[in-house]
Amino acid sequence: MVVIIFLVFAWFCIGVTVCLPNKLPLVANLLLFMVIEIMLINKLTVLTYNLNLLQINTRSIPHYLSMIMHNDITVAFVLLTFANVFLTTSKASIRWGISVYAFLFQMFTGALLRWNSVLIYTGWNLGLEAVMIIALMIYALLMGRLFQRIASKEGWMR
Protein backbone atom coordinates (compact mmCIF):
# COMPACT_ATOMS: atom_id res chain seq x y z
CA MET A 1 0.00 0.00 0.00
CA VAL A 2 2.83 2.41 0.81
CA VAL A 3 4.26 2.04 -2.71
CA ILE A 4 0.90 3.03 -4.22
CA ILE A 5 0.76 6.18 -2.10
CA PHE A 6 4.20 7.35 -3.16
CA LEU A 7 3.61 6.31 -6.77
CA VAL A 8 0.52 8.56 -6.84
CA PHE A 9 2.54 11.41 -5.33
CA ALA A 10 5.28 10.90 -7.92
CA TRP A 11 2.82 11.01 -10.82
CA PHE A 12 1.08 14.03 -9.31
CA CYS A 13 4.37 15.94 -9.07
CA ILE A 14 5.36 15.00 -12.62
CA GLY A 15 1.94 16.06 -13.88
CA VAL A 16 2.09 19.42 -12.13
CA THR A 17 5.52 20.13 -13.61
CA VAL A 18 4.49 19.11 -17.13
CA CYS A 19 1.30 21.21 -17.02
CA LEU A 20 3.01 24.45 -16.02
CA PRO A 21 2.12 27.20 -18.50
CA ASN A 22 5.48 29.00 -18.16
CA LYS A 23 8.70 27.06 -17.81
CA LEU A 24 12.40 27.57 -18.08
CA PRO A 25 13.95 26.43 -21.37
CA LEU A 26 14.21 22.67 -21.82
CA VAL A 27 18.01 22.60 -21.53
CA ALA A 28 17.88 24.70 -18.35
CA ASN A 29 15.24 22.34 -16.89
CA LEU A 30 17.30 19.29 -17.76
CA LEU A 31 20.43 20.74 -16.15
CA LEU A 32 18.43 21.89 -13.13
CA PHE A 33 16.90 18.44 -12.70
CA MET A 34 20.36 16.86 -12.82
CA VAL A 35 21.90 19.17 -10.20
CA ILE A 36 18.86 18.78 -7.94
CA GLU A 37 19.10 15.00 -8.28
CA ILE A 38 22.82 15.03 -7.47
CA MET A 39 22.13 17.09 -4.34
CA LEU A 40 19.27 14.82 -3.23
CA ILE A 41 21.30 11.64 -3.67
CA ASN A 42 24.24 13.12 -1.77
CA LYS A 43 21.95 14.44 0.98
CA LEU A 44 20.42 11.02 1.53
CA THR A 45 23.79 9.28 1.48
CA VAL A 46 25.40 11.67 3.95
CA LEU A 47 22.46 11.72 6.36
CA THR A 48 21.91 7.96 6.39
CA TYR A 49 25.27 6.30 5.90
CA ASN A 50 27.84 8.87 6.99
CA LEU A 51 26.14 10.71 9.86
CA ASN A 52 23.60 8.00 10.82
CA LEU A 53 20.90 10.63 11.40
CA LEU A 54 18.32 8.70 9.37
CA GLN A 55 17.67 5.02 8.84
CA ILE A 56 15.96 3.70 5.70
CA ASN A 57 13.78 0.63 6.09
CA THR A 58 15.55 -1.82 3.77
CA ARG A 59 13.90 -4.95 5.20
CA SER A 60 10.86 -4.44 2.99
CA ILE A 61 11.12 -3.92 -0.76
CA PRO A 62 7.91 -1.80 -0.94
CA HIS A 63 9.23 0.49 1.80
CA TYR A 64 12.60 0.85 0.09
CA LEU A 65 10.97 1.54 -3.31
CA SER A 66 8.78 4.17 -1.64
CA MET A 67 11.88 5.94 -0.35
CA ILE A 68 13.54 5.83 -3.75
CA MET A 69 10.40 7.19 -5.49
CA HIS A 70 10.05 9.93 -2.90
CA ASN A 71 13.67 11.05 -3.06
CA ASP A 72 14.30 10.65 -6.79
CA ILE A 73 10.95 11.66 -8.26
CA THR A 74 8.63 13.45 -5.85
CA VAL A 75 11.10 15.81 -4.17
CA ALA A 76 13.03 16.41 -7.39
CA PHE A 77 9.90 17.42 -9.31
CA VAL A 78 8.55 19.54 -6.44
CA LEU A 79 11.83 21.48 -6.44
CA LEU A 80 11.81 21.69 -10.24
CA THR A 81 8.24 23.03 -10.19
CA PHE A 82 9.15 25.49 -7.44
CA ALA A 83 12.12 26.86 -9.38
CA ASN A 84 10.19 27.07 -12.66
CA VAL A 85 7.24 28.95 -11.17
CA PHE A 86 9.36 31.21 -8.97
CA LEU A 87 11.72 32.18 -11.79
CA THR A 88 9.12 32.69 -14.54
CA THR A 89 6.66 34.89 -12.66
CA SER A 90 6.99 38.37 -11.26
CA LYS A 91 3.90 38.33 -9.00
CA ALA A 92 4.80 38.13 -5.32
CA SER A 93 1.61 36.26 -4.43
CA ILE A 94 2.42 33.44 -6.86
CA ARG A 95 6.00 33.28 -5.58
CA TRP A 96 4.77 33.04 -1.99
CA GLY A 97 2.17 30.45 -2.96
CA ILE A 98 4.64 28.15 -4.74
CA SER A 99 7.10 28.53 -1.84
CA VAL A 100 4.49 27.49 0.70
CA TYR A 101 3.31 24.62 -1.54
CA ALA A 102 6.84 23.30 -2.06
CA PHE A 103 7.72 23.51 1.63
CA LEU A 104 4.50 22.03 3.01
CA PHE A 105 4.29 19.27 0.40
CA GLN A 106 7.81 18.13 1.25
CA MET A 107 7.07 18.27 4.98
CA PHE A 108 3.86 16.27 4.45
CA THR A 109 5.48 13.57 2.32
CA GLY A 110 8.37 13.38 4.79
CA ALA A 111 5.85 12.84 7.58
CA LEU A 112 4.21 10.07 5.54
CA LEU A 113 7.59 8.38 5.21
CA ARG A 114 7.95 8.38 8.99
CA TRP A 115 4.36 7.32 9.69
CA ASN A 116 4.73 4.35 7.34
CA SER A 117 8.11 3.36 8.85
CA VAL A 118 9.92 3.97 5.58
CA LEU A 119 12.29 6.45 7.20
CA ILE A 120 13.30 6.37 10.85
CA TYR A 121 14.77 9.38 12.62
CA THR A 122 17.74 8.37 14.75
CA GLY A 123 19.33 11.79 15.26
CA TRP A 124 17.16 13.91 13.04
CA ASN A 125 14.08 16.00 13.88
CA LEU A 126 11.43 18.19 12.25
CA GLY A 127 13.46 21.35 12.75
CA LEU A 128 16.41 19.92 10.88
CA GLU A 129 14.03 18.62 8.21
CA ALA A 130 12.59 22.12 7.74
CA VAL A 131 16.05 23.68 7.50
CA MET A 132 17.10 21.04 4.95
CA ILE A 133 14.00 21.68 2.82
CA ILE A 134 14.59 25.44 2.86
CA ALA A 135 18.26 24.90 1.95
CA LEU A 136 17.25 22.66 -0.98
CA MET A 137 14.73 25.26 -2.15
CA ILE A 138 17.37 28.00 -2.06
CA TYR A 139 19.80 25.72 -3.91
CA ALA A 140 17.18 24.99 -6.58
CA LEU A 141 16.50 28.71 -7.01
CA LEU A 142 20.18 29.63 -7.28
CA MET A 143 20.89 26.88 -9.81
CA GLY A 144 17.71 27.73 -11.73
CA ARG A 145 18.69 31.40 -11.88
CA LEU A 146 22.18 30.42 -13.09
CA PHE A 147 20.80 28.16 -15.83
CA GLN A 148 18.22 30.81 -16.77
CA ARG A 149 21.01 33.36 -17.29
CA ILE A 150 23.12 30.90 -19.24
CA ALA A 151 20.10 30.06 -21.40
CA SER A 152 19.44 33.71 -22.21
CA LYS A 153 23.12 34.39 -23.03
CA GLU A 154 23.44 31.27 -25.20
CA GLY A 155 20.15 31.81 -26.99
CA TRP A 156 18.34 28.78 -25.54
CA MET A 157 15.21 30.81 -24.75
CA ARG A 158 11.96 30.00 -26.54
Side-chain angles (χ1 to χ4, degrees):
M1 181 65 182
V2 71
V3 172
I4 306 276
I5 293 168
F6 286 96
L7 185 63
V8 168
F9 282 143
W11 277 109
F12 171 77
C13 293
I14 291 169
V16 168
T17 304
V18 168
C19 292
L20 288 176
N22 298 321
K23 296 181 207 114
L24 296 172
L26 182 61
V27 174
N29 267 324
L30 180 66
L31 292 171
L32 183 58
F33 181 80
M34 288 191 315
V35 297
I36 286 171
E37 199 59 47
I38 290 168
M39 183 60 72
L40 290 174
I41 291 168
N42 288 332
K43 174 200 82 155
L44 191 63
T45 302
V46 168
L47 293 178
T48 55
Y49 300 113
N50 296 355
L51 299 177
N52 294 322
L53 295 174
L54 300 170
Q55 182 181 359
I56 301 171
N57 186 349
T58 56
R59 294 184 189 116
S60 163
I61 291 173
H63 284 81
Y64 185 72
L65 288 175
S66 298
M67 183 64 211
I68 298 300
M69 274 192 291
H70 173 265
N71 194 57
D72 291 344
I73 300 172
T74 305
V75 175
F77 276 94
V78 166
L79 291 171
L80 192 64
T81 301
F82 166 69
N84 272 279
V85 172
F86 198 95
L87 295 172
T88 59
T89 189
S90 59
K91 292 180 72 173
S93 61
I94 294 174
R95 286 182 169 183
W96 275 103
I98 194 63
S99 300
V100 169
Y101 157 76
F103 179 78
L104 291 179
F105 192 80
Q106 288 181 75
M107 288 295 284
F108 174 70
T109 56
L112 280 178
L113 287 173
R114 289 186 310 282
W115 292 333
N116 288 299
S117 299
V118 173
L119 196 61
I120 301 153
Y121 285 179
T122 55
W124 196 247
N125 59 41
L126 286 177
L128 292 173
E129 181 83 17
V131 170
M132 180 61 72
I133 290 170
I134 291 169
L136 287 170
M137 290 170 67
I138 291 169
Y139 174 76
L141 274 182
L142 292 174
M143 291 293 106
R145 177 81 67 200
L146 173 70
F147 295 138
Q148 188 180 38
R149 285 192 180 144
I150 291 171
S152 66
K153 285 184 180 179
E154 295 294 325
W156 297 339
M157 301 302 276
R158 297 179 210 181

